[in-house]
């Protein structure tokens, strides 16, 4: 692990913490985790499978219905995220779990969360990919998926800030690709900023007076 996460006693100061990759329950020793795995009936994340493509699936989990799972998910993610605060009241969030289907079970890869009703237009509040799956395009997949959901919902969106350095670079790559692809579709026609925002689902905010010489898109870039 990279950072502190407020697991309850006696788990918070262990040198090694064992976590079930399916239900995310945590244990102080390997023997406890093995006994649990023999009884655990989960082989995929809870919630509804809303996307499947080859070996990848995305499950939508309502935290008001799966509170313990989502709290354990946040605790685990905090071990690797330094720039996000941990909130125990998760009922107002939806979690989108990315899993890889191998050997007749779904293995946790990463997730992103978003508020059910965001007053600031956030379509993603936090995203995380396990270190062993990083640099394989999964972070970018989660970001793109969040914008595709916004497109279905007929909304524009932007992530909650601050972003980590790696998160920002991943977003910058995704934003650039979506904008370039949209501009190429309108290569021989004019397109306004608002039209570009609606087609890409990227939230655009007008620049401040001091920034009139170069408008920014999206708002959190």
């Amino acid at each position: 692990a990279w950072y502190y996460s407020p697991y309850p006693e006696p788990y918070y100061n262990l040198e090694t913490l064992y976590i079930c990759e399916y239900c995310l329950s945590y244990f102080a020793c390997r023997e406890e985790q093995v006994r649990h795995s023999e009884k655990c009936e989960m082989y995929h994340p809870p919630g509804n499978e809303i996307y499947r493509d080859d070996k990848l699936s995305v499950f939508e989990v309502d935290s008001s219905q799966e509170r313990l799972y989502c709290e354990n998910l946040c605790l685990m993610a905090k071990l690797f995220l330094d720039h996000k605060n941990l909130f125990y009241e998760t009922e107002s969030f939806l979690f989108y779990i990315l899993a890889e289907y191998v050997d007749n079970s779904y293995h946790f890869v990463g997730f992103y969360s978003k508020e059910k009703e965001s007053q600031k237009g956030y379509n993603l509040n936090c995203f995380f990919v396990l270190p062993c799956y990083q640099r394989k395009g999964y972070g970018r997949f989660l970001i793109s998926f969040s914008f595709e959901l916004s497109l279905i919902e007929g909304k524009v969106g932007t992530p909650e800030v601050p972003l980590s350095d790696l998160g920002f670079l991943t977003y910058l790559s995704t934003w650039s690709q979506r904008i370039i692809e949209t501009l190429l579709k309108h290569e021989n026609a004019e397109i306004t900023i608002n039209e570009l925002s609606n087609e890409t689902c990227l939230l655009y905010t007008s620049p401040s007076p001091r920034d009139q010489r170069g408008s920014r898109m999206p708002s959190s870039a």
Side-chain angles (χ1 to χ4, degrees):
W2 302 341
Y3 303 106
Y4 167 78
S5 182
Y7 279 94
E9 293 187 16
Y11 303 98
Y12 72 92
N13 61 349
L14 294 177
E15 185 173 322
T16 302
L17 185 68
Y18 298 88
I19 299 175
C20 174
E21 69 169 316
Y22 300 113
C23 69
L24 306 183
S25 298
Y26 44 88
F27 308 92
C29 65
R30 175 64 175 169
E31 290 75 14
E32 291 181 355
Q33 193 271 332
V34 170
R35 288 197 297 269
H36 165 81
S37 65
E38 294 173 349
K39 301 177 182 178
C40 184
E41 298 180 351
M42 292 182 61
Y43 66 96
H44 62 75
N48 298 318
E49 185 181 19
I50 61 172
Y51 173 88
R52 181 188 295 178
D53 182 19
D54 194 16
K55 293 184 178 182
L56 292 181
S57 292
V58 176
F59 294 81
E60 182 183 68
V61 182
D62 188 332
S63 54
S64 64
Q65 300 176 14
E66 300 288 347
R67 178 177 178 180
L68 181 59
Y69 178 90
C70 294
E71 288 180 355
N72 288 343
L73 178 60
C74 291
L75 284 169
M76 181 183 68
K78 189 64 179 71
L79 291 169
F80 304 95
L81 298 173
D82 185 40
H83 63 289
K84 289 292 184 180
N85 294 321
L86 182 64
F87 295 99
Y88 290 98
E89 297 299 327
T90 62
E91 287 85 351
S92 60
F93 288 85
L94 294 170
F95 291 78
Y96 296 87
I97 314 300
L98 176 62
E100 189 176 63
Y101 186 74
V102 179
D103 297 330
N104 297 319
S105 60
Y106 293 84
H107 300 274
F108 180 91
V109 172
F111 79 97
Y112 80 88
S113 62
K114 73 170 184 177
E115 291 180 282
K116 297 175 182 177
E117 298 293 336
S118 174
Q119 300 299 319
K120 297 183 179 180
Y122 296 145
N123 64 354
L124 183 150
N125 293 85
C126 176
F127 79 101
F128 163 71
V129 176
L130 282 173
C132 59
Y133 289 106
Q134 291 180 6
R135 302 190 182 279
K136 295 183 178 181
Y138 291 126
R140 187 169 178 175
F141 173 90
L142 288 170
I143 292 172
S144 296
F145 194 88
S146 71
F147 284 112
E148 292 303 320
L149 278 187
S150 294
L151 185 63
I152 293 173
E153 295 169 353
K155 300 178 181 178
V156 295
T158 189
E160 182 182 0
V161 293
L163 296 168
S164 66
D165 292 340
L166 181 59
F168 174 74
L169 291 175
T170 306
Y171 257 101
L172 187 61
S173 174
T174 305
W175 287 331
S176 300
Q177 181 179 358
R178 294 183 73 88
I179 292 172
I180 291 173
E181 289 176 350
T182 303
L183 290 176
L184 288 175
K185 290 194 301 183
H186 298 271
E187 186 175 3
N188 298 318
E190 293 185 354
I191 182 172
T192 67
I193 289 291
N194 286 335
E195 290 171 340
L196 184 61
S197 176
N198 290 331
E199 287 198 34
T200 59
C201 292
L202 304 182
L203 180 63
Y204 169 76
T205 57
S206 300
S208 62
R210 66 179 181 177
D211 199 26
Q212 287 292 331
R213 289 179 295 178
S215 61
R216 304 188 303 167
M217 178 159 176
S219 61
S220 54

PDB file of all heavy atoms in Angstrom, residues 127 139-140 143 147 159 163-180 202 216-218 220-221:
ATOM      1  N   PHE A 127     -11.755   7.871  -9.228  1.00  0.00           N
ATOM      2  CA  PHE A 127     -11.543   6.630  -9.965  1.00  0.00           C
ATOM      3  C   PHE A 127     -10.220   6.020  -9.542  1.00  0.00           C
ATOM      4  O   PHE A 127      -9.289   6.706  -9.122  1.00  0.00           O
ATOM      5  CB  PHE A 127     -11.634   6.841 -11.481  1.00  0.00           C
ATOM      6  CG  PHE A 127     -10.409   7.427 -12.131  1.00  0.00           C
ATOM      7  CD1 PHE A 127      -9.514   6.612 -12.819  1.00  0.00           C
ATOM      8  CD2 PHE A 127     -10.169   8.788 -12.094  1.00  0.00           C
ATOM      9  CE1 PHE A 127      -8.400   7.158 -13.440  1.00  0.00           C
ATOM     10  CE2 PHE A 127      -9.060   9.340 -12.708  1.00  0.00           C
ATOM     11  CZ  PHE A 127      -8.161   8.518 -13.395  1.00  0.00           C
ATOM     12  N   GLY A 139      -7.666   2.867 -16.783  1.00  0.00           N
ATOM     13  CA  GLY A 139      -8.053   4.179 -16.278  1.00  0.00           C
ATOM     14  C   GLY A 139      -8.741   4.999 -17.354  1.00  0.00           C
ATOM     15  O   GLY A 139      -9.784   5.627 -17.115  1.00  0.00           O
ATOM     16  N   ARG A 140      -8.173   4.975 -18.526  1.00  0.00           N
ATOM     17  CA  ARG A 140      -8.773   5.693 -19.647  1.00  0.00           C
ATOM     18  C   ARG A 140     -10.132   5.100 -20.008  1.00  0.00           C
ATOM     19  O   ARG A 140     -11.063   5.824 -20.380  1.00  0.00           O
ATOM     20  CB  ARG A 140      -7.827   5.651 -20.844  1.00  0.00           C
ATOM     21  CG  ARG A 140      -8.270   6.508 -22.012  1.00  0.00           C
ATOM     22  CD  ARG A 140      -7.158   6.625 -23.024  1.00  0.00           C
ATOM     23  NE  ARG A 140      -7.581   7.399 -24.183  1.00  0.00           N
ATOM     24  CZ  ARG A 140      -6.788   7.749 -25.180  1.00  0.00           C
ATOM     25  NH1 ARG A 140      -5.516   7.407 -25.142  1.00  0.00           N
ATOM     26  NH2 ARG A 140      -7.251   8.435 -26.199  1.00  0.00           N
ATOM     27  N   ILE A 143     -12.711   6.472 -17.555  1.00  0.00           N
ATOM     28  CA  ILE A 143     -13.028   7.868 -17.854  1.00  0.00           C
ATOM     29  C   ILE A 143     -13.944   7.956 -19.076  1.00  0.00           C
ATOM     30  O   ILE A 143     -14.954   8.661 -19.071  1.00  0.00           O
ATOM     31  CB  ILE A 143     -11.736   8.673 -18.085  1.00  0.00           C
ATOM     32  CG1 ILE A 143     -10.944   8.790 -16.776  1.00  0.00           C
ATOM     33  CG2 ILE A 143     -12.059  10.065 -18.627  1.00  0.00           C
ATOM     34  CD1 ILE A 143      -9.570   9.395 -16.945  1.00  0.00           C
ATOM     35  N   PHE A 147     -18.090   9.348 -19.566  1.00  0.00           N
ATOM     36  CA  PHE A 147     -18.626  10.290 -20.542  1.00  0.00           C
ATOM     37  C   PHE A 147     -19.679   9.632 -21.438  1.00  0.00           C
ATOM     38  O   PHE A 147     -20.625  10.292 -21.871  1.00  0.00           O
ATOM     39  CB  PHE A 147     -17.499  10.886 -21.382  1.00  0.00           C
ATOM     40  CG  PHE A 147     -16.701  11.928 -20.655  1.00  0.00           C
ATOM     41  CD1 PHE A 147     -15.382  11.693 -20.310  1.00  0.00           C
ATOM     42  CD2 PHE A 147     -17.267  13.137 -20.292  1.00  0.00           C
ATOM     43  CE1 PHE A 147     -14.646  12.643 -19.619  1.00  0.00           C
ATOM     44  CE2 PHE A 147     -16.544  14.102 -19.612  1.00  0.00           C
ATOM     45  CZ  PHE A 147     -15.220  13.854 -19.271  1.00  0.00           C
ATOM     46  N   PRO A 159     -14.940  15.884 -14.168  1.00  0.00           N
ATOM     47  CA  PRO A 159     -14.593  15.191 -12.926  1.00  0.00           C
ATOM     48  C   PRO A 159     -14.426  16.162 -11.765  1.00  0.00           C
ATOM     49  O   PRO A 159     -14.140  17.351 -11.954  1.00  0.00           O
ATOM     50  CB  PRO A 159     -13.252  14.529 -13.266  1.00  0.00           C
ATOM     51  CG  PRO A 159     -12.642  15.459 -14.266  1.00  0.00           C
ATOM     52  CD  PRO A 159     -13.798  15.945 -15.095  1.00  0.00           C
ATOM     53  N   LEU A 163      -7.353  16.377  -9.223  1.00  0.00           N
ATOM     54  CA  LEU A 163      -6.946  15.118  -9.799  1.00  0.00           C
ATOM     55  C   LEU A 163      -5.489  14.851  -9.443  1.00  0.00           C
ATOM     56  O   LEU A 163      -4.700  15.782  -9.272  1.00  0.00           O
ATOM     57  CB  LEU A 163      -7.083  15.162 -11.328  1.00  0.00           C
ATOM     58  CG  LEU A 163      -8.492  15.322 -11.904  1.00  0.00           C
ATOM     59  CD1 LEU A 163      -8.403  15.630 -13.396  1.00  0.00           C
ATOM     60  CD2 LEU A 163      -9.304  14.071 -11.672  1.00  0.00           C
ATOM     61  N   SER A 164      -5.145  13.591  -9.334  1.00  0.00           N
ATOM     62  CA  SER A 164      -3.735  13.253  -9.159  1.00  0.00           C
ATOM     63  C   SER A 164      -2.992  13.585 -10.450  1.00  0.00           C
ATOM     64  O   SER A 164      -3.599  13.790 -11.511  1.00  0.00           O
ATOM     65  CB  SER A 164      -3.570  11.770  -8.829  1.00  0.00           C
ATOM     66  OG  SER A 164      -3.971  10.976  -9.937  1.00  0.00           O
ATOM     67  N   ASP A 165      -1.670  13.624 -10.390  1.00  0.00           N
ATOM     68  CA  ASP A 165      -0.889  13.915 -11.596  1.00  0.00           C
ATOM     69  C   ASP A 165      -1.162  12.879 -12.679  1.00  0.00           C
ATOM     70  O   ASP A 165      -1.372  13.225 -13.844  1.00  0.00           O
ATOM     71  CB  ASP A 165       0.611  13.939 -11.262  1.00  0.00           C
ATOM     72  CG  ASP A 165       0.985  15.122 -10.379  1.00  0.00           C
ATOM     73  OD1 ASP A 165       0.209  16.099 -10.342  1.00  0.00           O
ATOM     74  OD2 ASP A 165       2.041  15.057  -9.734  1.00  0.00           O
ATOM     75  N   LEU A 166      -1.190  11.604 -12.295  1.00  0.00           N
ATOM     76  CA  LEU A 166      -1.466  10.552 -13.264  1.00  0.00           C
ATOM     77  C   LEU A 166      -2.894  10.636 -13.759  1.00  0.00           C
ATOM     78  O   LEU A 166      -3.168  10.447 -14.952  1.00  0.00           O
ATOM     79  CB  LEU A 166      -1.196   9.182 -12.641  1.00  0.00           C
ATOM     80  CG  LEU A 166      -1.410   7.966 -13.550  1.00  0.00           C
ATOM     81  CD1 LEU A 166      -0.514   8.050 -14.775  1.00  0.00           C
ATOM     82  CD2 LEU A 166      -1.145   6.672 -12.780  1.00  0.00           C
ATOM     83  N   GLY A 167      -3.829  10.950 -12.847  1.00  0.00           N
ATOM     84  CA  GLY A 167      -5.219  11.094 -13.244  1.00  0.00           C
ATOM     85  C   GLY A 167      -5.411  12.230 -14.235  1.00  0.00           C
ATOM     86  O   GLY A 167      -6.166  12.104 -15.204  1.00  0.00           O
ATOM     87  N   PHE A 168      -4.725  13.353 -13.996  1.00  0.00           N
ATOM     88  CA  PHE A 168      -4.848  14.489 -14.903  1.00  0.00           C
ATOM     89  C   PHE A 168      -4.324  14.137 -16.291  1.00  0.00           C
ATOM     90  O   PHE A 168      -4.943  14.474 -17.312  1.00  0.00           O
ATOM     91  CB  PHE A 168      -4.092  15.700 -14.361  1.00  0.00           C
ATOM     92  CG  PHE A 168      -4.057  16.858 -15.312  1.00  0.00           C
ATOM     93  CD1 PHE A 168      -5.178  17.634 -15.526  1.00  0.00           C
ATOM     94  CD2 PHE A 168      -2.902  17.152 -16.025  1.00  0.00           C
ATOM     95  CE1 PHE A 168      -5.164  18.689 -16.424  1.00  0.00           C
ATOM     96  CE2 PHE A 168      -2.877  18.204 -16.920  1.00  0.00           C
ATOM     97  CZ  PHE A 168      -4.000  18.976 -17.121  1.00  0.00           C
ATOM     98  N   LEU A 169      -3.176  13.455 -16.358  1.00  0.00           N
ATOM     99  CA  LEU A 169      -2.619  13.077 -17.656  1.00  0.00           C
ATOM    100  C   LEU A 169      -3.563  12.124 -18.398  1.00  0.00           C
ATOM    101  O   LEU A 169      -3.719  12.226 -19.620  1.00  0.00           O
ATOM    102  CB  LEU A 169      -1.243  12.418 -17.468  1.00  0.00           C
ATOM    103  CG  LEU A 169      -0.123  13.343 -16.992  1.00  0.00           C
ATOM    104  CD1 LEU A 169       1.149  12.539 -16.726  1.00  0.00           C
ATOM    105  CD2 LEU A 169       0.147  14.436 -18.015  1.00  0.00           C
ATOM    106  N   THR A 170      -4.197  11.221 -17.649  1.00  0.00           N
ATOM    107  CA  THR A 170      -5.142  10.295 -18.269  1.00  0.00           C
ATOM    108  C   THR A 170      -6.345  11.052 -18.804  1.00  0.00           C
ATOM    109  O   THR A 170      -6.828  10.795 -19.913  1.00  0.00           O
ATOM    110  CB  THR A 170      -5.593   9.225 -17.260  1.00  0.00           C
ATOM    111  OG1 THR A 170      -4.448   8.585 -16.694  1.00  0.00           O
ATOM    112  CG2 THR A 170      -6.464   8.180 -17.928  1.00  0.00           C
ATOM    113  N   TYR A 171      -6.835  12.011 -18.023  1.00  0.00           N
ATOM    114  CA  TYR A 171      -7.971  12.821 -18.471  1.00  0.00           C
ATOM    115  C   TYR A 171      -7.592  13.664 -19.679  1.00  0.00           C
ATOM    116  O   TYR A 171      -8.367  13.785 -20.632  1.00  0.00           O
ATOM    117  CB  TYR A 171      -8.460  13.719 -17.342  1.00  0.00           C
ATOM    118  CG  TYR A 171      -9.723  13.215 -16.704  1.00  0.00           C
ATOM    119  CD1 TYR A 171      -9.683  12.533 -15.494  1.00  0.00           C
ATOM    120  CD2 TYR A 171     -10.955  13.391 -17.312  1.00  0.00           C
ATOM    121  CE1 TYR A 171     -10.838  12.046 -14.901  1.00  0.00           C
ATOM    122  CE2 TYR A 171     -12.125  12.909 -16.735  1.00  0.00           C
ATOM    123  CZ  TYR A 171     -12.063  12.243 -15.531  1.00  0.00           C
ATOM    124  OH  TYR A 171     -13.204  11.762 -14.963  1.00  0.00           O
ATOM    125  N   LEU A 172      -6.419  14.252 -19.643  1.00  0.00           N
ATOM    126  CA  LEU A 172      -5.993  15.115 -20.746  1.00  0.00           C
ATOM    127  C   LEU A 172      -5.957  14.335 -22.053  1.00  0.00           C
ATOM    128  O   LEU A 172      -6.400  14.826 -23.107  1.00  0.00           O
ATOM    129  CB  LEU A 172      -4.618  15.707 -20.445  1.00  0.00           C
ATOM    130  CG  LEU A 172      -4.103  16.767 -21.421  1.00  0.00           C
ATOM    131  CD1 LEU A 172      -5.031  17.967 -21.450  1.00  0.00           C
ATOM    132  CD2 LEU A 172      -2.692  17.202 -21.031  1.00  0.00           C
ATOM    133  N   SER A 173      -5.483  13.095 -21.999  1.00  0.00           N
ATOM    134  CA  SER A 173      -5.441  12.250 -23.183  1.00  0.00           C
ATOM    135  C   SER A 173      -6.851  11.944 -23.677  1.00  0.00           C
ATOM    136  O   SER A 173      -7.137  12.006 -24.885  1.00  0.00           O
ATOM    137  CB  SER A 173      -4.700  10.954 -22.862  1.00  0.00           C
ATOM    138  OG  SER A 173      -4.753  10.059 -23.945  1.00  0.00           O
ATOM    139  N   THR A 174      -7.756  11.634 -22.738  1.00  0.00           N
ATOM    140  CA  THR A 174      -9.134  11.313 -23.113  1.00  0.00           C
ATOM    141  C   THR A 174      -9.851  12.528 -23.680  1.00  0.00           C
ATOM    142  O   THR A 174     -10.544  12.443 -24.697  1.00  0.00           O
ATOM    143  CB  THR A 174      -9.902  10.773 -21.895  1.00  0.00           C
ATOM    144  OG1 THR A 174      -9.191   9.661 -21.345  1.00  0.00           O
ATOM    145  CG2 THR A 174     -11.308  10.342 -22.279  1.00  0.00           C
ATOM    146  N   TRP A 175      -9.706  13.676 -22.997  1.00  0.00           N
ATOM    147  CA  TRP A 175     -10.327  14.899 -23.491  1.00  0.00           C
ATOM    148  C   TRP A 175      -9.852  15.227 -24.913  1.00  0.00           C
ATOM    149  O   TRP A 175     -10.651  15.543 -25.788  1.00  0.00           O
ATOM    150  CB  TRP A 175      -9.982  16.067 -22.570  1.00  0.00           C
ATOM    151  CG  TRP A 175     -10.685  16.069 -21.255  1.00  0.00           C
ATOM    152  CD1 TRP A 175     -11.914  15.547 -20.973  1.00  0.00           C
ATOM    153  CD2 TRP A 175     -10.184  16.604 -20.034  1.00  0.00           C
ATOM    154  NE1 TRP A 175     -12.212  15.736 -19.651  1.00  0.00           N
ATOM    155  CE2 TRP A 175     -11.185  16.384 -19.047  1.00  0.00           C
ATOM    156  CE3 TRP A 175      -9.012  17.247 -19.666  1.00  0.00           C
ATOM    157  CZ2 TRP A 175     -11.033  16.787 -17.738  1.00  0.00           C
ATOM    158  CZ3 TRP A 175      -8.848  17.660 -18.349  1.00  0.00           C
ATOM    159  CH2 TRP A 175      -9.853  17.433 -17.389  1.00  0.00           C
ATOM    160  N   SER A 176      -8.540  15.159 -25.107  1.00  0.00           N
ATOM    161  CA  SER A 176      -7.972  15.511 -26.412  1.00  0.00           C
ATOM    162  C   SER A 176      -8.516  14.614 -27.504  1.00  0.00           C
ATOM    163  O   SER A 176      -8.880  15.085 -28.589  1.00  0.00           O
ATOM    164  CB  SER A 176      -6.434  15.407 -26.353  1.00  0.00           C
ATOM    165  OG  SER A 176      -5.901  16.283 -25.384  1.00  0.00           O
ATOM    166  N   GLN A 177      -8.590  13.317 -27.224  1.00  0.00           N
ATOM    167  CA  GLN A 177      -9.084  12.378 -28.219  1.00  0.00           C
ATOM    168  C   GLN A 177     -10.541  12.668 -28.572  1.00  0.00           C
ATOM    169  O   GLN A 177     -10.908  12.664 -29.753  1.00  0.00           O
ATOM    170  CB  GLN A 177      -8.939  10.945 -27.734  1.00  0.00           C
ATOM    171  CG  GLN A 177      -9.423   9.909 -28.751  1.00  0.00           C
ATOM    172  CD  GLN A 177      -9.250   8.492 -28.270  1.00  0.00           C
ATOM    173  OE1 GLN A 177      -8.736   8.235 -27.195  1.00  0.00           O
ATOM    174  NE2 GLN A 177      -9.696   7.540 -29.079  1.00  0.00           N
ATOM    175  N   ARG A 178     -11.385  12.901 -27.563  1.00  0.00           N
ATOM    176  CA  ARG A 178     -12.804  13.148 -27.826  1.00  0.00           C
ATOM    177  C   ARG A 178     -12.985  14.432 -28.635  1.00  0.00           C
ATOM    178  O   ARG A 178     -13.821  14.482 -29.552  1.00  0.00           O
ATOM    179  CB  ARG A 178     -13.587  13.238 -26.516  1.00  0.00           C
ATOM    180  CG  ARG A 178     -13.636  11.948 -25.732  1.00  0.00           C
ATOM    181  CD  ARG A 178     -14.483  12.086 -24.480  1.00  0.00           C
ATOM    182  NE  ARG A 178     -15.906  12.144 -24.774  1.00  0.00           N
ATOM    183  CZ  ARG A 178     -16.687  11.076 -24.885  1.00  0.00           C
ATOM    184  NH1 ARG A 178     -16.185   9.867 -24.739  1.00  0.00           N
ATOM    185  NH2 ARG A 178     -17.984  11.214 -25.137  1.00  0.00           N
ATOM    186  N   ILE A 179     -12.218  15.460 -28.316  1.00  0.00           N
ATOM    187  CA  ILE A 179     -12.346  16.732 -29.043  1.00  0.00           C
ATOM    188  C   ILE A 179     -11.870  16.586 -30.479  1.00  0.00           C
ATOM    189  O   ILE A 179     -12.530  17.032 -31.424  1.00  0.00           O
ATOM    190  CB  ILE A 179     -11.562  17.839 -28.304  1.00  0.00           C
ATOM    191  CG1 ILE A 179     -12.235  18.154 -26.967  1.00  0.00           C
ATOM    192  CG2 ILE A 179     -11.468  19.088 -29.167  1.00  0.00           C
ATOM    193  CD1 ILE A 179     -11.437  19.089 -26.092  1.00  0.00           C
ATOM    194  N   ILE A 180     -10.719  15.934 -30.659  1.00  0.00           N
ATOM    195  CA  ILE A 180     -10.175  15.773 -32.014  1.00  0.00           C
ATOM    196  C   ILE A 180     -11.105  14.938 -32.874  1.00  0.00           C
ATOM    197  O   ILE A 180     -11.370  15.285 -34.044  1.00  0.00           O
ATOM    198  CB  ILE A 180      -8.771  15.130 -31.949  1.00  0.00           C
ATOM    199  CG1 ILE A 180      -7.772  16.129 -31.340  1.00  0.00           C
ATOM    200  CG2 ILE A 180      -8.306  14.703 -33.345  1.00  0.00           C
ATOM    201  CD1 ILE A 180      -6.403  15.539 -31.066  1.00  0.00           C
ATOM    202  N   LEU A 202     -18.312  17.080 -22.659  1.00  0.00           N
ATOM    203  CA  LEU A 202     -17.341  17.757 -21.799  1.00  0.00           C
ATOM    204  C   LEU A 202     -17.925  19.091 -21.361  1.00  0.00           C
ATOM    205  O   LEU A 202     -18.365  19.889 -22.185  1.00  0.00           O
ATOM    206  CB  LEU A 202     -16.018  17.992 -22.536  1.00  0.00           C
ATOM    207  CG  LEU A 202     -15.331  16.765 -23.138  1.00  0.00           C
ATOM    208  CD1 LEU A 202     -14.012  17.162 -23.779  1.00  0.00           C
ATOM    209  CD2 LEU A 202     -15.110  15.701 -22.084  1.00  0.00           C
ATOM    210  N   ARG A 216     -10.623  27.603 -21.919  1.00  0.00           N
ATOM    211  CA  ARG A 216     -10.215  26.262 -21.548  1.00  0.00           C
ATOM    212  C   ARG A 216     -11.392  25.308 -21.654  1.00  0.00           C
ATOM    213  O   ARG A 216     -12.536  25.678 -21.428  1.00  0.00           O
ATOM    214  CB  ARG A 216      -9.681  26.244 -20.101  1.00  0.00           C
ATOM    215  CG  ARG A 216      -8.545  27.205 -19.863  1.00  0.00           C
ATOM    216  CD  ARG A 216      -7.958  26.984 -18.516  1.00  0.00           C
ATOM    217  NE  ARG A 216      -8.960  27.105 -17.459  1.00  0.00           N
ATOM    218  CZ  ARG A 216      -8.759  26.714 -16.202  1.00  0.00           C
ATOM    219  NH1 ARG A 216      -7.608  26.196 -15.861  1.00  0.00           N
ATOM    220  NH2 ARG A 216      -9.724  26.849 -15.282  1.00  0.00           N
ATOM    221  N   MET A 217     -11.070  24.075 -22.017  1.00  0.00           N
ATOM    222  CA  MET A 217     -12.100  23.058 -22.084  1.00  0.00           C
ATOM    223  C   MET A 217     -11.446  21.720 -21.804  1.00  0.00           C
ATOM    224  O   MET A 217     -10.427  21.394 -22.400  1.00  0.00           O
ATOM    225  CB  MET A 217     -12.726  23.049 -23.473  1.00  0.00           C
ATOM    226  CG  MET A 217     -13.780  21.971 -23.625  1.00  0.00           C
ATOM    227  SD  MET A 217     -14.884  22.307 -24.959  1.00  0.00           S
ATOM    228  CE  MET A 217     -15.857  20.812 -24.882  1.00  0.00           C
ATOM    229  N   PRO A 218     -12.042  20.977 -20.894  1.00  0.00           N
ATOM    230  CA  PRO A 218     -13.194  21.304 -20.060  1.00  0.00           C
ATOM    231  C   PRO A 218     -12.820  22.130 -18.848  1.00  0.00           C
ATOM    232  O   PRO A 218     -11.657  22.544 -18.739  1.00  0.00           O
ATOM    233  CB  PRO A 218     -13.720  19.928 -19.659  1.00  0.00           C
ATOM    234  CG  PRO A 218     -12.514  19.090 -19.619  1.00  0.00           C
ATOM    235  CD  PRO A 218     -11.601  19.598 -20.699  1.00  0.00           C
ATOM    236  N   SER A 220     -12.202  21.642 -15.752  1.00  0.00           N
ATOM    237  CA  SER A 220     -11.226  21.224 -14.756  1.00  0.00           C
ATOM    238  C   SER A 220      -9.859  20.935 -15.366  1.00  0.00           C
ATOM    239  O   SER A 220      -8.995  20.374 -14.733  1.00  0.00           O
ATOM    240  CB  SER A 220     -11.716  19.985 -14.014  1.00  0.00           C
ATOM    241  OG  SER A 220     -12.043  18.960 -14.934  1.00  0.00           O
ATOM    242  N   ALA A 221      -9.645  21.293 -16.626  1.00  0.00           N
ATOM    243  CA  ALA A 221      -8.349  21.060 -17.255  1.00  0.00           C
ATOM    244  C   ALA A 221      -7.310  21.971 -16.654  1.00  0.00           C
ATOM    245  O   ALA A 221      -7.614  23.021 -16.124  1.00  0.00           O
ATOM    246  CB  ALA A 221      -8.442  21.274 -18.756  1.00  0.00           C
TER     247      ALA A 221
END
